[in-house]
């Protein structure tokens, strides 16, 4: 199953309407600490195993990076791990905060 791409505005609306979703921020630690989208979980190489083991694969997952490029690779990976509904946020955090 492949991931889908979604605009930052579309992602915000999706979260508002759907409610129970997982929003992931894959930027580096310092960037995350300096600001992140409300409710975003910081996904790192270190936290990945516990995320995979402890997160329902039925929940929609939205992945955010800086500009929307790296998030596509992570979204594809999560799709391959069996997550049913995965989105890469186009424009990333940069567009999210705009």
């Amino acid at each position: 199953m492949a991931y889908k791409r979604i605009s930052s505005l579309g992602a915000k609306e999706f979260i508002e309407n759907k409610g129970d979703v997982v929003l992931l921020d894959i930027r580096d630690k310092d960037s995350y600490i300096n600001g992140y989208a409300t409710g975003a979980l910081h996904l790192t190489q270190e936290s990945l195993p516990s995320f995979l083991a402890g997160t329902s694969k039925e929940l929609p997952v939205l992945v955010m990076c800086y500009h929307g490029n790296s998030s596509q690779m992570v979204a594809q990976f999560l799709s391959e791990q069996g997550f049913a509904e995965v989105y890469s946020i186009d424009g990333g955090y940069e567009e999210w905060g705009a």
Side-chain angles (χ1 to χ4, degrees):
M1 179 174 291
Y3 70 94
K4 298 173 186 156
R5 294 172 65 175
I6 190 169
S7 69
S8 60
L9 179 59
K12 289 176 185 179
E13 291 172 354
F14 184 86
I15 291 168
E16 223 173 84
N17 295 329
K18 197 86 163 178
D20 203 11
V21 304
V22 179
L23 177 59
L24 299 176
D25 188 325
I26 63 167
R27 297 174 302 141
D28 68 87
K29 182 180 178 181
D30 289 338
S31 296
Y32 181 79
I33 289 171
N34 287 324
Y36 55 89
T38 303
L41 303 173
H42 190 216
L43 185 68
T44 64
Q45 286 290 86
E46 293 78 26
S47 65
L48 181 61
S50 61
F51 173 79
L52 292 174
T55 306
S56 169
K57 293 190 170 35
E58 300 309 310
L59 287 174
V61 178
L62 292 94
V63 185
M64 173 189 297
C65 63
Y66 294 98
H67 302 103
N69 297 317
S70 299
S71 59
Q72 293 180 51
M73 290 182 289
V74 173
Q76 180 62 42
F77 172 78
L78 293 174
S79 292
E80 291 167 358
Q81 300 309 304
F83 285 86
E85 192 175 359
V86 183
Y87 299 86
S88 171
I89 300 174
D90 288 339
Y93 184 75
E94 191 132 312
E95 192 173 299
W96 186 276

